[in-house]
Amino acid sequence: MIERPRRLRTTSAVRSLVAETTLLPSHLMQPLFVREGLTEPREIAGMPGVWQQTEQSILDAAKAASSAGVKSVMVFGIPAKRDATGSEACNPEGILTRTVRAIKRELGDELVVVADLCLDEFTDHGHCGVLTSAGTVDNDATLRLYEQMALTLADAGVDLLGTSGMMDGQVGALREALDAEGHIDVGILAYAAKYASSFYGPFRSAVESTLEGDRKTYQQDYRNARESVREISLDLEQGADIVMVKPATAYLDIVHLASQLSEKPVAAYLVSGELAMVEAAAAAGYIERLPAILELHYAVRRAGAQIVCSYWATEVANYLKKENQ
Ligand code: PBG
C-alpha cells in the first residue's frame, strides 16, 4: 500500500498543517436583540444563552463581541407598540434606530452595525410587510415602507442593512433610495436565499412574534435550489454588497452554490432553531456542546461562506482567541 491518508492525521500539528478551512473571530457576526421598555435582560425561551437586551445592556453585549474580535453585530429591535403598518420601524426615535445610534456612538468604526430591515418585529400581525385588504402581503407597498425605514437607519449611522423580508425588488429599491439621499456608503447585506423554515421557531419568541400561519408566499420553498440561483442573481444585479443564505446547516448546498455564483462575499446564518437543537442535545448529554458548535461553524465556512452569522459568535471568538495564544 502506497497511499495512506492516515499519515496526514497522525498528530494535531500535521492535521493543522493540512487543514483547508479557517475560522477567525473576524468571520463572525453576532445577532443581538433589544427590547423596548425592558429593565433587566431576559433570556429567550428556546434559545439558551441568548437574551433580549435592554437599551443599556445591548451596549455591553456589543462591546463584549467587539473585544472578542467579532467585527459585526446584527441588531433586531422589539418595540413596545405595534400596528398594522409597523410604523415604529420608520420612527427616527424608535427602538431600533435609537439602538443603532447608541452602538455607533459607543464603538464607532470598530464594529460594523447591521440592522434588520424588515417589518415583522413592528407589525401587529407579524408579517414582514403590510397587508392588502384581502390579507396577502403587499409587495410594492411594503417596498415604500422599507425605503423609509432604510433612510431612517442610514441617518442613525447604520453600516449595513440586513434585508430579511424577501420582498421582490427590495435590494434595488433600497439602493436607489439610499443613493438618492447621498447614503452611498450604507451597504446592503441581502438575505438573498431565505427559506421558509421550521428552524426559525425560537426566533419568534425572541421577537415576541404574533404571526399566525407561515411566510410561504414570500420565503422560499425548501424543495428548490434553482430558485436560489435566481434570487441570489437578482440581489447581486440590484446592488447587494453581501449575499446571505439562511438557515445554514440544512442549506450548505445553497451556501456552496452562492459561493460559486457570487463575486461578492457570502454569509450564512445559523438560526435560532439550529442553536436550540445543539443546546438541547448538549443539555441532555447526547452531544458535546463546544465541539459540536465549532463543527457547525467550520462546516459553514467549508461550504464557502466568508461570514458566519451566529448566536454563538462572541463565545466562539473568545474560544478561538484563547486557542491561538
Ligand atoms: C425576519 C427574520 C426572521 C429571522 C431573522 N429575520 C424570522 C422569520 O423569517 O420568520 C430568523 C432568525 C432566526 O431564526 O434565528 N425579520
Side-chain angles (χ1 to χ4, degrees):
M1 205 184 333
I2 297 166
E3 288 300 337
R4 286 186 182 273
R6 287 185 55 194
R7 212 174 277 135
L8 295 181
R9 299 181 200 134
T10 49
T11 65
S12 167
V14 78
R15 290 192 294 272
S16 290
L17 179 70
V18 301
E20 297 169 25
T21 307
T22 58
L23 180 65
L24 300 171
S26 56
H27 295 140
L28 301 168
M29 177 178 289
Q30 175 71 62
L32 296 173
F33 299 97
V34 59
R35 169 68 162 95
E36 188 168 35
L38 202 64
T39 50
E40 288 292 324
R42 180 159 73 196
E43 198 168 18
I44 297 161
M47 299 180 75
V50 184
W51 301 70
Q52 281 188 340
Q53 305 290 351
T54 70
E55 279 190 71
Q56 204 48 49
S57 69
I58 194 168
L59 298 177
D60 300 331
K63 276 184 228 164
S66 181
S67 354
V70 171
K71 298 295 174 204
S72 61
V73 293
M74 157 104 76
V75 185
F76 295 92
I78 304 117
K81 278 190 314 237
R82 293 175 158 152
D83 57 24
T85 59
S87 53
E88 276 301 294
C90 302
N91 176 1
E93 291 310 317
I95 182 66
L96 182 59
T97 325
R98 287 205 303 272
T99 302
V100 165
R101 210 180 289 126
I103 298 176
K104 286 311 287 184
R105 195 186 304 126
E106 203 71 34
L107 287 150
D109 288 342
E110 239 174 79
L111 194 65
V112 177
V113 176
V114 191
D116 185 51
L117 195 134
C118 193
L119 290 180
D120 67 310
E121 290 97 15
F122 300 93
T123 53
D124 52 13
H125 45 73
H127 274 293
C128 295
V130 285
L131 304 181
T132 62
S133 51
T136 58
V137 175
D138 187 336
N139 192 91
D140 298 10
T142 299
L143 294 186
R144 304 291 88 80
L145 295 175
Y146 283 2
E147 288 163 3
Q148 280 182 43
M149 185 179 185
L151 294 177
T152 310
L153 289 163
D155 286 336
V158 80
D159 294 298
L160 292 170
L161 298 168
T163 53
S164 68
M166 289 302 281
M167 295 301 122
D168 290 340
Q170 61 186 8
V171 172
L174 295 189
R175 190 65 272 158
E176 273 189 40
L178 289 165
D179 289 356
E181 295 297 318
H183 292 298
I184 54 169
D185 287 333
V186 173
I188 297 175
L189 165 60
Y191 287 59
K194 178 172 179 180
Y195 285 85
S197 171
S198 304
F199 297 109
Y200 306 148
F203 179 92
R204 305 266 159 96
S205 68
V207 299
E208 303 168 32
S209 175
T210 54
L211 181 73
E212 279 172 33
D214 58 52
R215 305 195 197 283
K216 289 183 180 167
T217 69
Y218 42 107
Q219 299 179 350
Q220 290 169 239
D221 186 323
Y222 55 69
R223 292 171 293 189
N224 299 338
R226 219 180 284 287
E227 193 175 12
S228 278
V229 176
R230 188 173 185 206
E231 286 283 3
I232 293 163
S233 306
L234 282 169
D235 281 3
L236 290 169
E237 282 164 25
Q238 289 171 35
D241 296 284
I242 301 173
V243 286
M244 187 148 79
V245 175
K246 176 182 178 187
T249 47
Y251 297 87
L252 291 181
D253 55 334
I254 309 297
V255 175
H256 186 65
L257 190 153
S259 79
Q260 309 254 288
L261 206 64
S262 174
E263 294 170 0
K264 298 174 185 172
V266 171
Y269 194 149
L270 283 166
V271 299
S272 58
E274 301 179 279
L275 169 111
M277 287 194 294
V278 171
E279 294 292 351
Y286 298 153
I287 60 172
E288 244 190 290
R289 183 179 175 278
L290 188 60
I293 291 171
L294 291 171
E295 186 173 333
L296 292 187
H297 288 71
Y298 275 99
V300 171
R301 290 271 304 149
R302 191 191 62 233
Q306 170 80 23
I307 301 160
V308 188
C309 183
S310 157
Y311 296 102
W312 293 296
T314 303
E315 179 185 354
V316 168
N318 276 320
Y319 166 83
L320 294 169
K321 249 174 53 173
K322 246 192 287 152
E323 166 97 324
N324 289 318
Q325 263 163 17

